[in-house]
Amino acid sequence: GKGAQYGGYGGRGAMGQPMGQPIQHMGGPMGYDDPRKRDEERDRERARSGVRGLRTGFVASTPGVIGAGTSAMSAEVARIKESVNPAHFDCNPKLARFFIIKSYSEDDVHKSIKYGIWASTDTGNRRLDAAYRESADRGPIYLFFSVNASGQFSGMAQMESAIDYTKKFGAWAQDKWSGTFAIKWIHVKDMPNSQFRHILLTNNENRPVTNSRDTQEILLEPGREMLQIFLSFKARTSVLDDFGFYDKRQELMEARVGGSGDPMASGMAAGMGGTVPGPMGSGMPGAMPGCGIGSGVSAMPGMPQQPIGMGGGIDPSAGMHVAGMAPGAMSTAM
């Protein structure tokens, strides 16, 4: 993850208002007595604030709207869905290490799933790199992803390489983050914090795992418990539901900065050829995708600073003029 520590619920959304705070509803005609309706409105608010897209699992198909509410599944999403969320998984590894990964933006989780890479702060990179070099030959290193103020985990991935400090992916929400490493996504599903809040970390002052900072390490037993929860939880939604929405945001930003429109055809920084992670599941060799964005670009689709979308849809171009946050973020709240 990347960024600065946020206190409380963390983050600010449309018009500078605090993001992620519980939405207060009163019962009666002006409120929500039905918990499902309350949850739907909460998710719409998070979508308007840019914390996450508006999942198709919560709304009907909306003709003419890219992403949110669109039921059509692309071939890319179908391929990714076939490769994640296995029915069987070893939840009791003899040796394994676990880390929390925080992100300011679901746009960057989308890119991570799409290209099979991640990057952290300098401190986070060093921590993850040391863990990989010390332990990867003895057991897997698992990463649990959560977007700030989303109230959930987005998925779990396995770290598959040490940090390459010579490479820089050019399409994160901010351009200043250096170093990348390969990951393989195992679970991609929306996992409510309520499923994990009972897990207390003895190596973090007995705080709930849901109150972790970026690259907080989780010890073996609570890590195993999180694996079991990820495996058994039947999620209705995931970021894959909004892949079309985030693809469109990426395309719009590429067009604004004069990109090629073909992420696989453009390099990241000079001297970055070779066989590197391509779109998830493709195994394609070539230059790591930089989405046609040079080093002078400081922003990609991040957290919109104004309300986006009307009538349940989301405008993919909303918030693109604002310098976004970077892939990961330190925070004490999720």
Side-chain angles (χ1 to χ4, degrees):
K2 304 168 175 55
Q5 178 180 346
Y6 275 44
Y9 287 98
R12 288 194 172 268
M15 307 302 292
Q17 296 303 310
M19 252 187 342
Q21 294 186 2
I23 299 171
Q24 300 296 324
H25 293 303
M26 301 297 291
M30 299 302 291
Y32 295 96
D33 292 323
D34 185 343
R36 182 180 175 85
K37 290 183 179 180
R38 180 193 63 222
D39 292 344
E40 288 175 358
E41 177 56 28
R42 176 202 63 197
D43 291 322
R44 290 177 188 275
E45 176 62 26
R46 285 171 175 161
R48 286 191 292 269
S49 300
V51 174
R52 54 166 256 187
L54 187 57
R55 301 290 193 258
T56 57
F58 291 98
V59 296
S61 178
T62 307
V65 176
I66 300 295
T70 302
S71 59
M73 183 187 303
S74 70
E76 178 184 33
V77 171
R79 184 179 67 248
I80 294 173
K81 283 193 173 185
E82 290 177 356
S83 67
V84 298
N85 300 333
H88 303 284
F89 187 77
D90 181 10
C91 296
N92 291 288
K94 184 177 180 180
L95 293 172
R97 294 180 72 175
F98 308 88
F99 293 88
I100 295 293
I101 299 295
K102 299 304 301 291
S103 176
Y104 278 126
S105 168
E106 201 169 71
D107 289 87
D108 290 323
V109 175
H110 157 261
K111 295 184 185 74
S112 177
I113 295 170
K114 191 171 183 177
Y115 301 122
I117 58 173
W118 191 250
S120 186
T121 58
D122 290 340
T123 299
N125 276 344
R126 288 195 298 270
R127 183 175 297 161
L128 295 172
D129 189 57
Y132 186 87
R133 296 180 186 279
E134 292 168 3
S135 308
D137 59 342
R138 300 196 300 271
I141 297 174
Y142 293 124
L143 310 175
F144 299 107
F145 281 75
S146 175
V147 177
N148 271 358
S150 66
Q152 65 182 29
F153 284 87
S154 303
M156 186 198 79
Q158 181 174 345
M159 192 173 178
E160 292 206 316
S161 78
I163 311 296
D164 188 335
Y165 291 98
T166 69
K167 294 182 178 179
K168 181 177 182 179
F169 181 56
W172 297 129
Q174 286 187 354
D175 179 59
K176 62 183 180 179
W177 311 109
S178 299
T180 62
F181 58 94
I183 63 175
K184 177 184 178 182
W185 282 84
I186 297 170
H187 293 290
V188 179
K189 57 174 75 173
D190 292 339
M191 301 282 295
N193 280 354
S194 58
Q195 297 294 313
F196 302 96
R197 201 167 280 122
H198 66 281
I199 300 177
L200 306 181
L201 303 185
T202 58
N203 60 332
N204 190 28
E205 301 178 349
N206 280 321
R207 294 175 179 172
V209 68
T210 52
N211 283 52
S212 297
R213 299 186 181 199
D214 181 61
T215 66
Q216 167 69 50
E217 185 162 9
I218 304 171
L219 300 182
L220 184 61
E221 286 307 317
R224 286 173 172 171
E225 185 175 358
M226 290 190 70
L227 289 182
Q228 183 61 55
I229 296 171
F230 263 94
L231 178 65
S232 60
F233 185 80
K234 305 299 182 184
R236 292 188 298 139
T237 58
S238 78
V239 66
L240 296 177
D241 296 341
D242 290 330
F243 237 59
F245 166 67
Y246 289 118
D247 280 341
K248 186 63 176 178
R249 295 231 297 193
Q250 184 176 349
E251 291 169 10
L252 290 172
M253 178 54 74
E254 288 168 11
R256 288 173 66 90
V257 299
S260 68
D262 180 4
M264 292 306 298
S266 55
M268 290 162 56
M272 297 190 59
T275 302
V276 295
M280 185 173 177
S282 68
M284 295 175 62
M288 190 176 289
C291 303
I293 298 175
S295 60
V297 178
S298 63
M300 275 293 291
M303 310 260 285
Q305 300 299 302
Q306 59 185 25
I308 57 179
M310 296 293 290
I314 298 181
D315 178 3
S317 65
M320 299 188 110
H321 64 287
V322 180
M325 299 296 186
M330 288 190 179
S331 177
T332 57
M334 291 186 181

